[in-house]
Amino acid sequence: MLRIDPPLPPIASQGDGTYPRPQLVRSEWSDLTGRWGFAVDDDDRGIREQWFANPSFDASIVVPFPPESSASGIGDPRPHTALWYHRALTHDEVLAAGHGDGRRLILRFGAVDYRAIVWVDGQRVGSHEGGHTPFAVDITDALERDGGGHVVVRVEDRATDVAQPRGKQDWRDEPHAIWYHRTSGIWQPVWLESVPAGPAIEWIHWRADLPSGRVHARIGLTTTPASECVVDVELRHGDTLLARASTLARESEIEIDIPIPSQANGQAYEELVWSPENPRLIDAVIRTSDDGAPLDTVSSYLGLRSTSVDRRCFLLNDKPRFVRSVLSQGYWPDTHLAAPSAHALRQEVELIKELGFNAARVHQKFEDPRFLFWADRLGLMIWAEAPAVFSFTPTAVERTVREWLEVVHRDVSHPSIVTWVPLNESWGVQHIAHDSRMLHHALALVHLTKALDPTRPVVSNDGWEQAETDIVAIHDYEGDGEVMGARYKDRAAVDEMITGVGPAGRRLVLTGDVDDAPVMLTEFGGISFDVHRTDHAWGYTSASSDSDFRDRLSSLMAGIHDSTALAGYCYTQLTDTLQETNGLVGADRVPKLPVDELRAIMVGPRGSQPWE
């Protein structure tokens, strides 16, 4: 079991981590996951025949599991022209969401892949494009009767559209190489909540300023206040009140600087700082009022920490930190990219930590915010990476940028996220070394990310052909431990690759001065050990037995641990995923060697000191 010392204090605002938007929690809400009506529309006649007005779908599906998955009750991996969902809202669900007294009823979707249109009682209430980011629609005026209503959602997810950010979702009918079954339709939670008709709190961005002992809050309201609206923020750690601040809101976006007096004393400075060893979180309550009358109240949380790079080191809270990371696909056999449950997301974070890692690179997926909550809560650093497109067109650029903006907006306040990764292995920019348009796209993503969030390092194109990157991130699937040891022995050896050609036969850095940048081996390993005799098992190298797997893994890791050049690593990968059987654990999350043994191999002689 995961052991954290000292024990974690309660986070009063977060409960058990099941609320779908953990950094902006309302006490009254209705969970709309479960069984919905379902229909496939390969002839694309649903809109023409107005299925949204009179939904009577013969099949049913368990939301939020994609129809390709067995957990959905459908289990159909074939591509379809359109998918239709239907659910009746009950009187009790509407009441539980706090509807009444002039409040607005909001229907929220965690993620729907890829293009969605929503109707309520036959009236179109909204749409969204982007398969990995949330959206919401106000359904108040569309409800035909007090106490219920019918929600209908139409979804398009074209398998052959490679200008659509899809990550590891295969565009072929059957998974091949390193790609997996698709995750179409509704695949994250759906819920109902109400907000005041006046200015309601729509989003919150937290930023800690450790040197000054302050917290900066940016708060977005649903409307511009007609009169002066007061916004109050209260910060607590356990039962201790840390700070209060208030301001007048005259616009729909406001900013508040909140001094934390206890952080002004250097002797007590470390007591509130977030780290993997001590993942302390600060509870926040935000209230709005008008002339003393309460309008809205939400709960949130934040962590006090900083990330940066300097002198070839990755710095957490201004101290060197060796990053021991694992590649996480966030994929389950029965539910695909959707988590089997909220509890499974906690178990995933616990598993990663039990194996000795202090970080995870979530690969080609914007992970469920509840996973990020447990990373925040249990102390796991996260590299947040975008799902890639596989073509370079104006449409692909527009879609990539839009979803990236949306996810940075969604996740910027999570203390666990320590690095942004907008591109991987030149996917979607295949000729970046020769095509100036692709290079400009990569550079634009780097600078756009830093404009939105200057507090985190950005890896421009993880693996190779990097431009203005803060970390030189190298992918190397060499299977010989001695070769790896020599290749990464010291900075002089690594610099030969940086100034020449990298392990994959591509240049590592295209533009930018990386003399002072830390170097990390962010993909390596990939040893296939097929304990379940999977059909078409695949890996970069293969082990035939427990002892062979142990020897191969130990040999690779010995070279990494001996390196004086590396500031961190990311082993490929956490779990077996379909034909890709190169996990440290199986798809069932059962370790392939005893946990203590795997942990010792991955941590190595450095130990687990924070500064290593």
Side-chain angles (χ1 to χ4, degrees):
M1 295 297 293
L2 179 65
R3 298 179 297 275
I4 296 179
D5 186 29
L8 293 172
I11 300 297
S13 65
Q14 301 311 307
D16 59 2
T18 59
Y19 185 80
R21 192 167 56 158
Q23 283 193 305
L24 204 161
V25 177
R26 288 192 165 85
S27 57
E28 295 180 304
W29 65 289
S30 292
D31 184 357
L32 300 185
T33 59
R35 198 161 291 280
W36 290 50
F38 182 75
V40 169
D41 185 12
D42 284 335
D43 297 329
D44 201 12
R45 56 193 175 91
I47 292 180
R48 184 174 65 252
E49 296 178 0
Q50 298 190 349
W51 290 5
F52 52 84
N54 296 292
S56 57
F57 304 150
D58 293 335
S60 66
I61 187 170
V62 179
V63 169
F65 306 130
E68 294 92 346
S69 71
S70 59
S72 70
I74 303 297
D76 179 4
R78 297 172 300 172
H80 295 288
T81 303
L83 309 171
W84 288 77
Y85 295 77
H86 164 247
R87 193 187 193 284
L89 302 178
T90 69
H91 177 70
D92 288 345
E93 287 169 338
V94 172
L95 288 180
H99 187 43
D101 297 327
R103 292 176 68 85
R104 308 297 297 179
L105 199 59
I106 309 298
L107 178 63
R108 299 192 183 277
F109 296 84
V112 181
D113 199 351
Y114 171 72
R115 186 179 293 106
I117 305 173
V118 184
W119 294 265
V120 171
D121 287 337
Q123 181 176 327
R124 179 168 170 160
V125 292
S127 62
H128 181 258
E129 181 178 310
H132 296 78
T133 50
F135 67 99
V137 290
D138 186 332
I139 68 171
T140 313
D141 297 333
L143 291 173
E144 288 186 347
R145 61 182 185 278
D146 184 25
H150 289 268
V151 176
V152 175
V153 183
R154 179 187 182 272
V155 183
E156 290 181 21
D157 185 21
R158 289 185 54 209
T160 56
D161 186 354
V162 292
Q164 180 177 300
R166 61 192 317 113
K168 297 294 285 287
Q169 298 182 65
D170 211 324
W171 54 95
R172 298 183 184 178
D173 288 352
E174 292 296 327
H176 78 290
I178 59 170
W179 285 276
Y180 314 139
H181 280 304
R182 288 176 294 278
T183 292
S184 299
I186 300 172
W187 68 278
Q188 286 189 23
V190 185
W191 73 104
L192 197 63
E193 64 185 23
S194 66
V195 302
I201 299 164
E202 181 61 21
W203 51 264
I204 306 166
H205 290 169
W206 301 105
R207 187 178 76 241
D209 184 348
L210 295 189
S212 69
R214 307 170 80 87
V215 169
H216 183 76
R218 289 185 63 236
I219 300 171
L221 304 177
T222 52
T223 62
T224 300
S227 58
E228 289 185 341
C229 171
V230 176
V231 180
D232 297 299
V233 179
E234 181 179 286
L235 303 182
R236 290 182 177 271
H237 183 246
D239 295 328
T240 302
L241 176 65
L242 298 178
R244 284 195 182 113
S246 298
T247 192
L248 291 176
R250 296 185 176 91
E251 302 293 337
S252 60
E253 292 188 18
I254 58 170
E255 300 189 26
I256 308 178
D257 275 315
I258 310 165
I260 302 179
S262 62
Q263 289 304 96
N265 182 345
Q267 291 177 317
Y269 170 80
E270 298 285 352
E271 293 180 6
L272 290 179
V273 173
W274 185 97
S275 70
E277 298 72 37
N278 294 293
R280 302 177 183 95
L281 297 178
I282 308 302
D283 248 324
V285 177
I286 304 91
R287 300 180 178 92
T288 61
S289 58
D290 184 4
D291 196 23
L295 289 174
D296 198 11
T297 300
V298 299
S299 299
S300 185
Y301 71 87
L302 61 134
L304 305 180
R305 67 103 186 91
S306 67
T307 60
S308 58
V309 295
D310 189 32
R311 304 184 189 189
R312 300 184 176 181
C313 294
F314 174 83
L315 303 180
L316 180 71
N317 302 326
D318 217 28
K319 296 177 182 178
R321 171 68 59 136
F322 189 84
V323 176
R324 297 190 310 275
S325 183
V326 68
L327 196 75
S328 172
Q329 307 284 4
Y331 188 99
W332 286 265
D334 297 331
T335 57
H336 299 189
L337 292 181
S341 66
H343 184 61
L345 293 168
R346 173 175 183 160
Q347 290 178 316
E348 198 85 334
V349 173
E350 290 175 335
L351 174 63
I352 293 168
K353 293 207 67 174
E354 285 166 4
L355 291 170
F357 299 104
N358 59 20
R361 179 174 162 225
V362 178
H363 190 41
Q364 291 297 301
K365 178 188 182 185
F366 296 146
E367 191 53 278
D368 190 312
R370 298 170 299 173
F371 176 89
L372 299 176
F373 165 74
W374 286 114
D376 295 338
R377 187 83 175 87
L378 298 176
L380 183 70
M381 297 185 291
I382 299 296
W383 284 36
E385 179 182 318
V389 298
F390 290 94
S391 67
F392 186 82
T393 64
T395 297
V397 169
E398 179 184 348
R399 290 171 173 175
T400 297
V401 171
R402 182 170 59 242
E403 281 204 67
W404 185 246
L405 290 172
E406 289 178 355
V407 86
V408 172
H409 177 81
R410 187 194 75 174
D411 293 343
V412 71
S413 298
H414 286 283
S416 59
I417 294 181
V418 297
T419 305
W420 296 115
V421 186
L423 294 171
N424 169 74
E425 290 187 348
S426 301
W427 292 1
V429 287
Q430 291 90 337
H431 305 293
I432 187 173
H434 308 285
D435 190 328
S436 62
R437 300 172 305 160
M438 297 180 184
L439 180 60
H440 285 307
H441 176 49
L443 289 168
L445 284 169
V446 170
H447 295 305
L448 184 59
T449 305
K450 288 179 176 291
L452 297 173
D453 175 24
T455 71
R456 292 176 173 92
V458 180
V459 174
S460 65
N461 183 21
D462 207 301
W464 50 68
E465 297 175 336
Q466 291 157 82
E468 304 293 336
T469 190
D470 289 322
I471 298 169
V472 180
I474 305 173
H475 295 184
D476 187 347
Y477 284 105
E478 169 61 53
D480 188 316
E482 290 187 4
V483 173
M484 289 288 274
R487 194 172 281 170
Y488 299 95
K489 177 183 177 181
D490 53 32
R491 186 63 186 241
V494 172
D495 281 344
E496 285 188 22
M497 291 189 289
I498 292 176
T499 57
V501 178
R506 296 175 184 242
R507 283 167 281 180
L508 291 178
V509 178
L510 298 179
T511 66
D513 181 3
V514 295
D515 250 9
D516 202 37
V519 174
M520 296 192 193
L521 187 56
T522 51
E523 279 191 36
F524 75 105
I527 304 168
S528 173
F529 181 29
D530 184 16
V531 295
H532 294 297
R533 308 291 181 185
T534 307
D535 289 340
H536 312 297
W538 184 90
Y540 293 91
T541 61
S542 296
S544 58
S545 64
D546 287 7
S547 60
D548 188 23
F549 180 60
R550 181 184 299 108
D551 291 346
R552 289 173 181 267
L553 183 62
S554 298
S555 175
L556 279 177
M557 291 309 304
I560 305 310
H561 294 315
D562 288 343
S563 170
T564 61
L566 294 176
Y569 70 77
C570 179
Y571 182 82
T572 303
Q573 60 186 356
L574 178 63
T575 70
D576 287 352
T577 310
L578 297 180
Q579 73 279 5
E580 198 172 357
T581 53
N582 52 10
L584 294 173
V585 306
D588 54 8
R589 274 54 179 176
V590 175
K592 296 181 180 180
L593 295 174
V595 168
D596 289 347
E597 193 171 337
L598 284 172
R599 182 184 180 93
I601 293 170
M602 303 316 296
V603 171
R606 295 176 184 271
S608 56
Q609 294 95 335
W611 53 87
E612 291 287 2

